[in-house]
Amino acid sequence: MTSQSDRPVVLVLAKHYVPAFKAGGPVRSIRNIVAALYEEFDFRIVTSDRDHTDSEPFPSVARNCWGKCDKASVFYADSSHRGAQAFERIIRDVNPDLVYLNSCFSPSFSIAPLALRRLGRLGKRSAWVVAPRGEFSKGAISLKAWKKRPVLRFAQACGVFEGITWQATSDLEVEDIRRETGAPDSAILLASNITEGVGDFVEPAISESPARPLKVCFVSRVSRKKNLAFAVEAMARARSPVEFDIYGPVEDESLVAECRRIAAAAANGLVVRWHGHVPHEQVREIFGQHDLFLFPTLGENFGHVIFESLAAGTPVLVSDRTPWHDLEAKGAGWVRSLDRIQDFVDVIDGFASMPPAERLAMRRRAHGYAKAAHLASPAVEQTRRLLLGSASS
C-alpha cells in the first residue's frame, strides 16, 4: 500500500479505534489527532475488529483489509491478523515514515512490533513514537507491577527502546516515562492531547428543588485504576442526600460486587445506579444531567473525560493524580489527595449545600475553563512537531 500524496505516512498501531468507544481516552486521542492533522499526514491505522471487552466483531466494518474511516485508512484485524507475522507483513507493505504505538504494554499492538523492530525484521528504518497514555503513572504501574516492571527492565536490557521517541502529554507524564524507562530527556517530547471543540454554554435541565438529592456521576471504565470503590465509599460517607450514577464498561466483576457491598451498608440512603457503557456522543449530555463528576482516579496522563465534564459545564472532583491541578483556582472544581477520603466527603457535602445560583455560576466557570483551555491549547502544534520531527529524523 503506497501513499497517494506527498504527505508523510504515519502507521498507527492501536488496540482499539472507532467505532470502538469503551476503551475511553486512547481512542479519542487518536481520532482527534487524525481530525486535526489529516491534511498534513497520511494516517494508516491497524486496530482490532471489536470494542473493548466485546466478544463479537463490529458488524459494520470489513475485516482484514484496508478501508476508510473518517479521514484515515483503517485495517480492522481479527485474531488471525494480530500475530507477529501479520504485523511484519503489514508494516513492510505500508513502508511508513513513522510508526506510532498507542500503548506500551499491548502484547499484539506494541510489544510484538517493538520486538520485530529490535530484530531488524521490518525493512525500511522507520521512525517510532510510543505514546504510553498514562500506563507509567504510579497508580497504573502499581496494578500488576510484578508483571509490568520486569517487561520494562527486559526491554531496556535488550535495547528495545533504543531510538524510540516517547510522547508525554503532560509534565507529569514526562517524569513517569523517565522513571519507568530510563529514557533520556532528548527522547521524550511533550505533546498534549488534542481536545474537541466546546460550544456555547447551555443551562442544564435539572430541577433545583431544595429537596432534590445531589446528582453525582462517574463516567469511565469500571476498573481498579479508575478507583470506583473509593468513589462509592466517599458517597456512602456523605451526610447529604445523594444519588450516584455509574457509566462505563465493566472490566472487573469483583469490583462491582465490592461497590455494591459498600453502597448497601451506607447509612445515608445512598442510591447507586449502574448504567453500563455509553457511546461517546452521549457523554456530554450525561454530564449535563448531573451536578458533579466524581473521579478519584489512580492516575491519568490527560483525562479526556475530565475535559468532557468541564465542556458540559459540570464541575469535577478529582484526585491529585491528573494534570488538572488548577480546577479550584479557576472555580471549576476540586482536586483532593487520595490519602484523605474525608476531604472528598467534605467537598460533596459542601457542594450539596451550595445555593442553586452559586452552582449555576460554577457551571458557567467550568464551561468557560474548558473553552479557554481548548482555544489556548498548543496541542495541535506540539503534535505536528512530534510527527514531523520524528518522521524526518
Side-chain angles (χ1 to χ4, degrees), residues 63-138:
R63 291 184 287 167
N64 308 324
C65 61
W66 290 99
K68 294 295 292 185
C69 179
D70 295 334
K71 302 296 183 179
S73 299
V74 184
F75 188 104
Y76 294 96
D78 66 14
S79 58
S80 68
H81 285 72
R82 297 181 215 147
Q85 287 186 332
F87 275 101
E88 179 179 356
R89 183 171 60 253
I90 289 172
I91 294 171
R92 281 180 169 272
D93 180 48
V94 174
N95 195 30
D97 298 289
L98 172 68
V99 179
Y100 184 105
L101 306 184
N102 202 38
S103 165
C104 183
F105 289 128
S106 171
S108 296
F109 290 88
S110 303
I111 294 174
L114 285 169
L116 291 170
R117 172 184 178 272
R118 181 67 182 90
L119 294 171
R121 291 174 52 181
L122 298 179
K124 174 183 175 180
R125 191 170 178 80
S126 305
W128 286 63
V129 168
V130 179
R133 301 294 177 205
E135 291 173 329
F136 297 154
S137 71
K138 291 180 179 179

Side-chain angles (χ1 to χ4, degrees), residues 46 269 314 331 334 392:
V46 181
T314 302
W334 299 266
S392 62

Side-chain angles (χ1 to χ4, degrees), residues 247-268:
Y247 299 84
V250 174
E251 295 184 2
D252 188 334
E253 291 291 350
S254 67
L255 175 59
V256 174
E258 179 182 351
C259 291
R260 291 187 186 278
R261 287 195 297 270
I262 296 170
N268 62 352

Side-chain angles (χ1 to χ4, degrees), residues 40-215:
E40 302 172 50
F41 298 92
D42 184 353
F43 290 103
R44 321 282 178 87
I45 301 171
V46 181
T47 189
S48 53
D49 65 343
R50 62 203 64 200
D51 207 343
H52 181 60
T53 72
D54 283 1
S55 59
E56 296 297 323
F58 299 119
S60 58
V61 302
R63 291 184 287 167
N64 308 324
C65 61
W66 290 99
K68 294 295 292 185
C69 179
D70 295 334
K71 302 296 183 179
S73 299
V74 184
F75 188 104
Y76 294 96
D78 66 14
S79 58
S80 68
H81 285 72
R82 297 181 215 147
Q85 287 186 332
F87 275 101
E88 179 179 356
R89 183 171 60 253
I90 289 172
I91 294 171
R92 281 180 169 272
D93 180 48
V94 174
N95 195 30
D97 298 289
L98 172 68
V99 179
Y100 184 105
L101 306 184
N102 202 38
S103 165
C104 183
F105 289 128
S106 171
S108 296
F109 290 88
S110 303
I111 294 174
L114 285 169
L116 291 170
R117 172 184 178 272
R118 181 67 182 90
L119 294 171
R121 291 174 52 181
L122 298 179
K124 174 183 175 180
R125 191 170 178 80
S126 305
W128 286 63
V129 168
V130 179
R133 301 294 177 205
E135 291 173 329
F136 297 154
S137 71
K138 291 180 179 179
I141 209 78
S142 68
L143 302 174
K144 298 185 180 178
W146 57 270
K147 179 169 63 174
K148 295 175 182 177
R149 285 210 165 101
V151 168
L152 291 173
R153 301 299 171 255
F154 180 77
Q156 287 177 266
C158 295
V160 171
F161 297 147
E162 290 181 5
I164 291 287
T165 297
W166 298 91
Q167 178 189 0
T169 55
S170 67
D171 292 333
L172 183 63
E173 192 170 30
V174 170
E175 297 299 323
D176 292 337
I177 293 170
R178 184 186 295 122
R179 182 187 65 251
E180 299 298 336
T181 71
D185 290 348
S186 60
I188 307 173
L189 296 184
L190 179 63
S192 303
N193 276 294
I194 298 171
T195 56
E196 297 176 33
V198 179
D200 295 331
F201 178 73
V202 177
E203 291 195 16
I206 300 178
S207 167
E208 286 296 352
S209 167
R212 179 177 67 82
L214 186 72
K215 293 176 65 65

Side-chain angles (χ1 to χ4, degrees), residues 218 221-232 246 249-262 274:
F218 174 95
R221 293 179 287 119
V222 178
S223 70
R224 298 287 173 180
K225 179 175 181 281
K226 306 303 181 180
N227 213 10
L228 178 58
F230 184 103
V232 176
I246 299 169
V250 174
E251 295 184 2
D252 188 334
E253 291 291 350
S254 67
L255 175 59
V256 174
E258 179 182 351
C259 291
R260 291 187 186 278
R261 287 195 297 270
I262 296 170
W274 298 79

Side-chain angles (χ1 to χ4, degrees), residues 14 74 118 219 229 232 253 290 305 337 349 352:
V74 184
R118 181 67 182 90
V219 183
V232 176
E253 291 291 350
H290 291 82
V305 70
S337 170
D349 282 328

